[in-house]
Amino acid sequence: MPTVTLHSVGRHFAEVKAVDNIDLAIEHGEFVTLLGHSGCGKTTTLRMVAGLERNDTGSIVIGGCVVSDASAGLFVPPDHRKLGMVFQSYAIWPHMTVFDNVAFPLSVRHVAKAEIRDRVTTALRLVEMERFADRPAPALSGGQQQRVAIAAPWCSSPKCCCSTSRSATSMRGCARRWATSSAPCSGGSRSRPSTSTHDQEEAMRCPTGSL
Ligand SMILES: Nc1ncnc2c1ncn2[C@@H]1O[C@H](COP(=O)(O)OP(=O)(O)O)[C@@H](O)[C@H]1O
Ligand SMILES: [Mg+2]
């Protein structure tokens, strides 16, 4: 059974048809790249999967549960979808250290402190940022910020992790290491990443397929 399925999903913004009736099925352990020109609807598609945007046609199923069905008026909010999202702008808190940024999604869910430490340490090791754990976020390079942005959602063992253009290649590397690690936060199963990019060369480096 596919982990993520989109059935005739569409989204309009006034007269702009951002996404027009797309069908997509992402299988367990599959890495999927959405490739298309700027403005063709890649980010809107990922935002609808994450629940940050509401589809006005069609339905979205994640892990066998319908999370959005426009005709039935059903909509599960993002915090109940168990997904990860790496934002194009990275969305890193500037007043926190690297460790606290990666720990944040677990802290707000009141995960036990010892477990947070284990998961964050493992995630930082996988993105090769362990030695920067105590560094304030504003003192990071662009590449280091990207790795923090990738580590944070992976820490929560998401059912699927979405990312946008600038992170696609790093996401695949991280996902592959995660899938083969015995990390407690990998949950013994592989999370499904999907990315979007307008960069054809990057898409070729991250082909659709198994990790
Ligand atoms: N909140 C919004 N309000 C109005 N138009 C939007 C909004 N979000 C996206 N769009 C429009 O929808 C189209 C698809 O945008 P987007 O999904 O961001 O494209 P991509 O990620 O493929 O570059 C674009 O024409 C964009 O301007
Ligand atoms: Mg985009």
Side-chain angles (χ1 to χ4, degrees), residues 6 10 15 27 39 52 54 56 73 80 91 95 121 130 143 147 150 159 166 169 171 173 175 182 185 187-188 194:
L6 276 62
E15 75 285 356
E27 301 291 335
L52 299 170
R54 203 168 170 146
D56 40 37
H80 287 84
H95 62 298
T121 303
E130 210 178 356
R147 284 184 276 156
I150 290 171
K159 287 181 182 169
R166 288 193 288 167
T169 313
M171 268 281 283
S182 55
C185 36
S194 62

Side-chain angles (χ1 to χ4, degrees), residues 36-49:
H37 62 79
S38 177
C40 76
K42 305 177 296 293
T43 297
T44 306
T45 301
L46 293 185
R47 286 175 61 82
M48 288 190 290
V49 171

Side-chain angles (χ1 to χ4, degrees), residues 10-206:
R11 175 74 163 119
H12 291 69
F13 296 105
E15 75 285 356
V16 178
K17 235 184 221 180
V19 176
D20 190 14
N21 287 325
I22 68 159
D23 293 297
L24 175 68
I26 301 177
E27 301 291 335
H28 181 83
E30 200 176 20
F31 186 99
V32 173
T33 302
L34 306 179
L35 173 65
H37 62 79
S38 177
C40 76
K42 305 177 296 293
T43 297
T44 306
T45 301
L46 293 185
R47 286 175 61 82
M48 288 190 290
V49 171
L52 299 170
E53 207 70 73
R54 203 168 170 146
N55 48 305
D56 40 37
T57 62
S59 61
I60 300 171
V61 181
I62 298 175
C65 299
V66 181
V67 294
S68 181
D69 185 338
S71 58
L74 187 154
F75 183 78
V76 175
D79 49 328
H80 287 84
R81 295 194 183 193
K82 296 197 174 130
L83 297 183
M85 184 92 178
V86 181
F87 291 95
Q88 206 151 345
S89 58
Y90 301 145
I92 293 173
W93 295 104
H95 62 298
M96 290 184 186
T97 62
V98 165
F99 184 97
D100 290 340
N101 263 285
V102 177
F104 185 71
L106 300 174
S107 312
V108 294
R109 284 182 207 146
H110 306 293
V111 173
K113 280 205 168 123
E115 191 177 342
I116 292 181
R117 180 151 292 281
D118 279 356
R119 285 177 174 239
V120 172
T121 303
T122 306
L124 289 178
R125 194 178 310 132
L126 287 172
V127 295
E128 295 167 357
M129 285 292 288
E130 210 178 356
R131 67 200 165 100
F132 299 107
D134 296 324
R135 186 174 283 197
L140 298 174
S141 71
Q144 290 166 340
Q145 287 177 38
Q146 184 188 59
R147 284 184 276 156
V148 171
I150 290 171
W154 281 90
C155 232
S156 309
S157 308
K159 287 181 182 169
C160 175
C161 195
C162 305
S163 90
T164 48
S165 46
R166 288 193 288 167
S167 316
T169 313
S170 308
M171 268 281 283
R172 182 168 169 83
C174 177
R176 195 187 279 132
R177 286 197 294 277
W178 205 272
T180 53
S181 83
S182 55
C185 36
S186 71
S189 67
R190 297 182 297 171
S191 292
R192 277 62 49 184
S194 62
T195 74
S196 82
T197 183
H198 57 265
D199 181 336
Q200 196 161 353
E201 282 183 22
E202 178 154 49
M204 293 304 123
R205 285 197 296 273
C206 308

